[in-house]
Amino acid sequence: MIEVHDKRHRSCLPAWNWPWWKPPSPAPAQRTVQASLTELVAPRTYFDTPIYMMVLQRYPWLVTLMLIQSTSGMIVERFENLIQQHVILASFLTMLVGGGGNSSGQTVAELVKRLGMGEVRSDDLCRVLRKEVAIGLFLSLGLGVVAFPRVRYLAKSATDLDAAAIALSYCLIVVVANSIGVVVVMVLHRCKMAAVGSPPVVQVVVDVTGTAITMVVANAVLGVAKGE
């Protein structure tokens, strides 16, 4: 390589070769193509995203979850005789299902944050599941202690068995809800959809599972035959 020390000799070199360490600037047409590709690849902000695109993104999720959540009605119909003889179950069904949603919601928020920070990876599923199940067990014990007297002494015509069935259902729902939250978040994280899909999916699955747990536990504790 020939080094040029005199500024007078620079004009003798080709324009694209001086200075030699800088790449040639792209042509105007090439810059336009690069800008267009950047706009297509770069994620849009909330206000720049058209309404129809957001609707198309959300609609399939909501339709699928609506159909899944409708199975709760089928479960309730299956145990119609149980509910007719123990109407108090219907009164506290919202509390039971909501308790599972509250517990799983905390799990989802915690995991999404930890995954975003890189503290937790998808390969840590078993470790996270063990920890969240342990957390759920401790939480369920504390919540069950509060749920029993709440039902027994503050609800009209509630018996000890009614309170026991509801408190036991609450405990099981909390543990199962935490487990569901972990599995759903980890699976969707592998699909790059943890932040968007986890909350609604977990909520629907916990609602259906909580309804089933309540009916099965109440039927076992209260000794009422299933409705046909």
Side-chain angles (χ1 to χ4, degrees):
M1 181 182 297
I2 301 176
E3 297 184 0
V4 179
H5 300 283
D6 192 350
K7 295 182 179 180
R8 292 175 298 177
H9 295 283
R10 294 181 182 178
S11 59
C12 300
L13 297 175
W16 55 267
N17 200 31
W18 185 266
W20 58 268
W21 63 84
K22 290 186 178 181
S25 58
Q30 185 178 358
R31 287 197 298 266
T32 304
V33 173
Q34 290 177 350
S36 301
L37 292 175
T38 302
E39 292 179 359
L40 292 175
V41 175
R44 299 187 179 186
T45 63
Y46 176 82
F47 292 105
D48 291 336
T49 305
I51 293 178
Y52 77 91
M53 289 186 62
M54 302 183 75
V55 171
L56 292 177
Q57 291 173 355
R58 299 182 186 184
Y59 182 74
W61 285 95
L62 296 178
V63 170
T64 304
L65 296 175
M66 178 188 67
L67 296 176
I68 295 174
Q69 197 165 26
S70 65
T71 58
S72 296
M74 300 171 59
I75 297 173
V76 173
E77 290 178 358
R78 174 66 177 170
F79 292 88
E80 184 178 358
N81 290 348
L82 174 66
I83 296 176
Q84 288 178 352
Q85 298 185 35
H86 297 271
V87 183
I88 192 172
L89 294 176
S91 302
F92 284 93
L93 185 59
T94 303
M95 183 193 77
L96 293 168
V97 174
N102 295 336
S103 181
S104 62
Q106 291 180 336
T107 301
V108 170
E110 184 73 21
L111 287 182
V112 170
K113 181 180 70 174
R114 301 296 182 180
L115 287 167
M117 297 171 61
E119 296 181 9
V120 179
R121 300 177 301 175
S122 300
D123 299 335
D124 299 327
L125 174 60
C126 294
R127 293 178 58 193
V128 176
L129 187 60
R130 287 195 299 267
K131 184 169 184 176
E132 287 298 329
V133 168
I135 294 173
L137 287 172
F138 284 108
L139 290 175
S140 65
L141 291 176
L143 293 169
V145 170
V146 177
F148 183 88
R150 164 64 182 88
V151 177
R152 179 64 182 88
Y153 300 109
L154 297 181
K156 295 181 179 180
S157 67
T159 64
D160 290 338
L161 286 179
D162 292 334
I166 293 175
L168 181 58
S169 299
Y170 204 107
C171 294
L172 292 177
I173 289 173
V174 169
V175 177
V176 173
N178 275 22
S179 304
I180 292 173
V182 172
V183 174
V184 171
V185 171
M186 290 300 194
V187 171
L188 292 182
H189 180 68
R190 285 184 175 271
C191 303
K192 309 298 182 183
M193 296 185 296
V196 177
S198 296
V201 172
V202 171
Q203 177 185 353
V204 170
V205 176
V206 169
D207 286 352
V208 176
T209 306
T211 303
I213 290 175
T214 301
M215 296 296 107
V216 172
V217 171
N219 186 71
V221 172
L222 301 174
V224 179
K226 295 180 181 179
E228 298 296 335

